């Protein structure tokens, strides 16, 4: 079955390109990467097209920011609206989060810790 990995790559689209590189290097064919470049206004039509295209897919949202700082909190209810519009039962378990845990700071301040966290995000996404 196909799998869709939704990514939001804020600023320099770093997460998207890290995932694209990892997918290419590993020769993974069953994960589609979709970059959402704009959150407001939310592109309901484009997101719904991708959900419909990969209707049997597990959907994951990947971001490098902590859960409480990136786009996840914003897009999650909008993804549920897209699912409802497509006649699917909106279920929070259909939208998996891949990223850093909620935190008071957007970064740890240590490059080694940041590299470990980034590797975790990429590895988790590629294991879908």
């Amino acid at each position: 079955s196909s799998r869709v990995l939704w990514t939001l790559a804020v600023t320099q689209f770093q997460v998207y390109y890290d995932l694209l590189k990892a997918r290419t290097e590993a020769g993974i064919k069953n994960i589609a990467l979709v970059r959402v470049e704009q959150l407001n206004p939310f592109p309901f039509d484009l997101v719904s097209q991708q959900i419909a295209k990969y209707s049997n897919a597990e959907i994951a949202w990947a971001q490098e920011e902590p859960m409480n700082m990136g786009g996840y909190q914003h897009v999650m209810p909008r993804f549920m609206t897209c699912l409802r519009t497509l006649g699917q039962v909106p279920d929070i378990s259909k939208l998996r989060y891949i990223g850093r845990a909620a935190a008071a700071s957007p970064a740890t301040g240590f490059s080694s810790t940041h590299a470990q966290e980034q590797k975790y995000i990429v590895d988790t996404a590629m294991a879908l």
Side-chain angles (χ1 to χ4, degrees):
S1 75
S2 296
R3 295 206 167 126
V4 171
L5 176 61
W6 294 92
T7 66
L8 170 66
V10 178
T11 66
Q12 299 172 334
F13 305 108
Q14 185 64 38
V15 171
Y16 173 81
Y17 291 109
D18 288 349
L19 296 175
L20 182 61
K21 179 181 177 189
R23 185 185 71 174
T24 301
E25 288 176 355
I28 296 171
K29 304 286 186 204
N30 67 335
I31 296 176
L33 299 175
V34 179
R35 184 175 67 215
V36 177
E37 295 183 22
Q38 175 179 308
L39 294 182
N40 283 309
F42 189 78
F44 286 99
D45 57 338
L46 300 174
V47 170
S48 293
Q49 286 173 7
Q50 293 301 310
I51 291 173
K53 181 177 178 180
Y54 300 101
S55 60
N56 65 336
E58 175 183 1
I59 301 171
W61 178 268
Q63 66 183 34
E64 70 178 316
E65 299 85 4
M67 186 180 219
N68 58 321
M69 294 184 192
Y72 176 75
Q73 300 294 336
H74 179 78
V75 302
M76 189 261 308
R78 288 155 180 82
F79 273 83
M80 296 299 110
T81 298
C82 291
L83 289 168
R84 264 193 304 280
T85 300
L86 293 168
Q88 297 184 29
V89 177
D91 180 357
I92 190 64
S93 67
K94 292 193 92 164
L95 182 58
R96 185 171 168 195
Y97 171 76
I98 300 172
R100 291 174 172 80
S105 172
T108 64
F110 297 101
S111 62
S112 61
T113 303
H114 175 78
Q116 287 175 336
E117 290 174 341
Q118 197 72 5
K119 182 179 181 331
Y120 166 79
I121 292 167
V122 172
D123 291 348
T124 302
M126 293 301 109
L128 284 176

